[in-house]
Each structure stands twice: as structure tokens, then as C-alpha cells.
Amino acid sequence: MISDEDKRIRIMREAPPLKAIFVMSVPVILGMMVNVVYNLVDTWFIGMMGDELQLAASNYCTPVFVIVMAVASLIGTGGASYLSRSLGADRKDKAERTLATGLLLVCLFGLLVAIVGLAFRNQIPHILGASEFSFRFTQQYATILMVGGIFIIGNFALGQLIRAEGSTKLSMIGMMVGTVANIVLDPLFIFTFGWGISGAAVATVIGNGLSMLFFLICYLRGKTLLSLTFRGFTVQSEILKEIVAIGIPATIGQMLISVAQMTANNLASSYGDVTVASFGIALKIMTIGTYIFMGFSAGCQPLMGYNYGSGNYKRMASFIKTGILSTSLIGLFLTLVLGASSPFLVAVFTPLAEVRSSGTAILRTLILSLPFMGGITLCSTTFQAMGKPFKAFILTISRQGLLYIPLLFLLNHLFGLNGMVFSQPIADLIMLLVSSTFILKVLHSLTTDSRKGQRSISR
């Protein structure tokens, strides 16, 4: 009888590329859909207030959430990498110290984010590009998110750490706890208590806090492979160095996304708060595709890592080609579906006719990115799987810093709002061509070197 472990190895080593990709990716994609719901809930309830200023404020604050998540990514991505490697080396004690160090960093960075949020609460809305009309709402939402940043950071970081030990079911339950809490608390705080956008921010913080609490309880009650112990709460330079080395590139990549979002918001604000609100709704709907491709790439990562470790570069190349083709077809399908249903989808988030009309037009432009987005994410994930975070980082900064942001300014200057919105699809098309050529060239080089090595040995 074949064990589950043997089945996974055979899938990674022998299964046809298309079958292997979908067997590994579909469960992760389903899990990512929880994040899609979480991401859309606040926008939906805020939109139901019928106030474009508060809806615009939620979009102005998106970069704040991304920055807080970037901080969490440093802890979660870096810590998860070292934790799983320690477990693989049969160093459970080192893994538990990594877990404890991660929790200490959550508390430290959570405190720093809260201090920054309070100290610069009057400057942050200006930095985010908020208009004078939406300034107060932007200030309220951003301040609450940052003061409660420890819970957002803790939820994301501990979720990654708990997945790193293989407890994917607990990770899923933890995400669902926060999502359900947010769905229940949003209407209570926004409408019943009359807190408006501040209520949405409080609900977000509490939802993340409950997820973080769930993960802590799992660790403390022995539901996980690793345990939180007092002796583990000691700072070791080796562990910190490992967390930072892997976490920093991921964090900078997230920060660039935030910078790109702030740049887009500042440019959009010149067209009025209706445009900012419309742009925000369109971007939130776009997360449906974003999270599908994130799940697809995350599912492919072990396939890439296993075959890279075994030196089967030809099989890796077939995964890349099959993956890019698959994500392009999925992206094309999503483009057609979202394009046809754009008026309905935008209307779900706002009763305002002007926002509906503008949001539909913006969404129908942004979705042109979807056939290219998955392939870009897959190429970046492949470099991470190969243990080359710097190359993955280069792709990230190229997409956001070298292509998207300059195109925002250039096309906005030349063609106005339409040019600004078209910047993303154009940048993604160029980036897919560049990244796929880059990764396939690297794999071709590895395959060539491997063949040369084999010939020299045979001689």
C-alpha cells in the first residue's frame, strides 16, 4: 500500500505536468478564496453607506494595510523558511526558538507600527493622497489599522509559521475565524453603532486579533507539532539573521506594491473622490484573480523545489511552460467572465450611479492584466523555490518600480485617466515576456551545464 508521503513524491517526480500542477494547486487556491472574502467584506459594507468619501478613504488606506502586511511578511516568510528547514534537519528545538522569536518580533513591530500611526496621524492622509473632503475618514481608518497593527501582523505571521510545520488545516480554520468575525462585526459597528468607516477598521482589527488568538491557543494547547515555551524566548543572532535574510526581499517587494498603490491614488485623486472610490472597488474585485494566481503559484512551489533539488531541470521547464499556458487560459477566462459581469459586480459594492459607471469602465481595463499576471507570479515563485530570493526580488522591483510606476506617470500625462488605468495591463504584458524569458534561459543554462557534467563523468 502506497503511503500519502510516497504519493506526494510520485506526483512531484513522475505525474504529467498538468496533472501535478492542478493536484498541488487546487487545494491552495480554495484556501486563498477565504482571503478574497476577507478582502471584499469591508469594501462591500462601506459601499452600502452610499458615501463616496468614505469609500474613497478605504482605498486611500489600502497602502497602509499593505505596509503592515509587508512587516508581517518579514517575520512570516523569513521565519517559516528557517522553521521548516530546522524541522527538516531534525532540529525541533531550533524550530521552536524560531517560532518564539517570530512572536517576539510580532510584538516589537506591532508596537512600532502603533507608535508611528499615532505620531504621524495628521501627516499620513496627505502621504496617501487623500483629498480635503476625505481627509478625516482616511485619518480615522489608517490610525485604527496601525494602532491595531499587532493583530494584523500576528495573524499573518503566525498563519505562515503554522503552515510551515504542515498544519494547513489549522491555518485554514484560523483564517475562517477572522473572516466570519469580520462579516458579523462590520454591519454591527458600521450601521448599528453608527461608527461608519471607523467601525469597519475596528472590525478588521478584531477579526485579525481573533485569528491570532486562535493560533496562539493552538500552540499553547499542544494542537501543533511545535510548542511555545518560555525557554524559547531568547534572541539568537543566527535565527534573526536567517529571518531577515529571507524576509527582507519579500518585505521590500510588498512595500513597492504599496508605493505603486499610493502613486496611483495620488494620480487618481486629481480626478476626484468618485474616481478614487471607483478605482478602489475595481482593485478589490481584481483580487479574485490575484489570489487565484497566488494559490496556483504556491501549489507549484514544491514541484519546482523538488525537481530543482533532484537536478531535473527539463521537468522544471515543462512545469514553467505548462504553468504559464494554464494561468494565461485561466486569466483569459476570468477576463471574459469579469468583463461581462462588471456592472453587476461593481453595483454590489455601491448604490452610487456615478461610481458604478466609472468603476465598471476601470474594472474592464484592469482585467486585461489577468492573462499575464499568473505567469509573472509563477516565475517569481520558481526563483524562490530554487533558493534564489534575490532573482525573485529583481522581478518584483522590475514589475512595480521599473515598469508600472513610470508608466503611471507617463501614460497619465499623455492620455489622462485612461492612460493611468491602462498602465497596469501594459506593464504586466511586458513583465510576462521578460520574466518567462529570464527563467527559461536560467533553466536552459542549468540543463546545459548538467549535461556537460554528465558527459565529463562518463569520460
Side-chain angles (χ1 to χ4, degrees):
M1 188 175 184
I2 301 174
S3 67
D4 289 338
E5 182 177 355
D6 290 336
K7 287 179 181 178
R8 287 194 294 269
I9 295 296
R10 288 182 62 177
I11 287 171
M12 291 188 287
R13 186 178 59 205
E14 301 172 7
L18 185 62
K19 178 182 177 181
I21 286 173
F22 279 91
V23 167
M24 298 294 285
S25 297
V26 168
V28 187
I29 292 172
L30 294 176
M32 286 291 180
M33 289 301 99
V34 175
N35 285 320
V36 172
V37 174
Y38 204 111
N39 199 38
L40 296 178
V41 163
D42 274 2
T43 303
W44 186 75
F45 281 113
I46 292 171
M48 288 302 100
M49 288 188 286
D51 184 350
E52 72 272 14
L53 296 180
Q54 296 193 60
L55 193 56
S58 70
N59 187 44
Y60 283 127
C61 290
T62 298
V64 173
F65 192 82
V66 174
I67 289 172
V68 175
M69 292 291 283
V71 174
S73 186
L74 187 152
I75 304 167
T77 303
S81 174
Y82 193 53
L83 187 152
S84 58
R85 280 183 283 144
S86 297
L87 286 175
D90 200 24
R91 291 295 308 275
K92 187 177 179 182
D93 60 324
K94 184 70 71 175
E96 289 184 339
R97 288 183 185 276
T98 302
L99 170 62
T101 301
L103 185 56
L104 282 174
L105 291 175
V106 165
C107 297
L108 174 62
F109 284 118
L111 180 62
L112 288 175
V113 168
I115 292 172
V116 170
L118 290 171
F120 296 96
R121 62 185 179 279
N122 294 324
Q123 290 77 30
I124 289 173
H126 291 299
I127 296 171
L128 296 174
S131 69
E132 59 178 309
F133 305 106
S134 57
F135 181 95
R136 178 170 60 90
F137 298 124
T138 304
Q139 183 187 55
Q140 292 171 359
Y141 198 82
T143 302
I144 293 170
L145 284 182
M146 295 184 75
V147 169
I150 185 172
F151 301 117
I152 299 172
I153 295 170
N155 174 26
F156 184 77
L158 291 179
Q160 282 193 295
L161 292 171
I162 210 166
R163 281 196 298 272
E165 66 167 55
S167 300
T168 53
K169 184 178 179 181
L170 291 177
S171 172
M172 170 64 65
I173 295 172
M175 287 191 293
M176 291 181 67
V177 166
T179 302
V180 171
N182 202 28
I183 292 172
V184 172
L185 294 176
D186 259 336
L188 179 66
F189 292 162
I190 294 173
F191 302 111
T192 305
F193 290 179
W195 293 353
I197 194 170
S198 296
V202 172
T204 296
V205 169
I206 292 177
N208 278 275
L210 290 174
S211 291
M212 179 181 174
L213 179 62
F214 173 83
F215 293 136
L216 288 174
I217 290 172
C218 288
Y219 281 121
L220 295 173
R221 290 192 174 181
K223 302 291 185 181
T224 54
L225 178 63
L226 302 178
S227 302
L228 277 171
T229 58
F230 287 107
R231 66 181 178 81
F233 286 91
T234 55
V235 178
Q236 293 185 352
S237 59
E238 177 193 354
I239 293 175
L240 281 176
K241 205 176 295 182
E242 289 286 344
I243 290 175
V244 170
I246 300 296
I248 285 291
T251 299
I252 295 176
Q254 289 273 5
M255 292 288 188
L256 276 172
I257 294 173
S258 180
V259 171
Q261 178 73 61
M262 283 190 283
T263 303
N265 283 342
N266 274 276
L267 293 173
S269 64
S270 64
Y271 301 101
D273 286 314
V274 167
T275 298
V276 176
S278 304
F279 197 62
I281 290 174
L283 287 174
K284 289 295 173 69
I285 295 172
M286 280 287 290
T287 60
I288 295 172
T290 302
Y291 280 110
I292 286 175
F293 295 134
M294 285 172 60
F296 190 97
S297 298
C300 288
Q301 188 167 5
L303 297 172
M304 303 299 185
Y306 179 88
N307 287 281
Y308 178 74
S310 65
N312 195 344
Y313 308 125
K314 183 178 178 181
R315 183 166 168 80
M316 279 189 72
S318 69
F319 280 131
I320 286 287
K321 292 173 184 176
T322 304
I324 290 175
L325 178 60
S326 299
T327 53
S328 297
L329 292 174
I330 293 170
L332 181 60
F333 173 76
L334 287 173
T335 298
L336 296 173
V337 172
L338 294 180
S341 58
S342 290
F344 169 76
L345 290 173
V346 174
V348 169
F349 295 96
T350 178
L352 302 170
E354 194 175 358
V355 177
R356 289 183 182 184
S357 176
S358 177
T360 298
I362 292 172
L363 178 59
R364 282 178 168 166
T365 301
L366 291 179
I367 57 177
L368 297 176
S369 282
L370 292 174
F372 319 124
M373 192 184 294
I376 299 168
T377 307
L378 184 65
C379 290
S380 180
T381 300
T382 299
F383 278 126
Q384 291 173 347
M386 294 166 70
K388 301 180 185 297
F390 182 72
K391 284 187 169 62
F393 173 62
I394 291 298
L395 292 183
T396 300
I397 64 170
S398 296
R399 183 189 182 199
Q400 299 294 338
L402 301 181
L403 277 175
Y404 180 48
I405 293 177
L407 278 173
L408 275 173
F409 286 107
L410 176 63
L411 297 184
N412 180 66
H413 176 72
L414 294 175
F415 306 107
L417 177 61
N418 286 334
M420 189 195 82
V421 177
F422 268 101
S423 299
Q424 188 71 74
I426 293 172
D428 285 344
L429 171 59
I430 296 171
M431 200 60 225
L432 176 60
L433 296 174
V434 171
S435 58
S436 57
T437 302
F438 185 27
I439 187 69
L440 289 172
K441 186 176 180 180
V442 170
L443 290 174
H444 176 73
S445 176
L446 288 171
T447 303
T448 303
D449 291 344
S450 176
R451 286 172 179 168
K452 287 180 180 178
Q454 290 174 354
R455 282 198 295 266
S456 63
I457 290 172
S458 63
R459 288 173 184 169

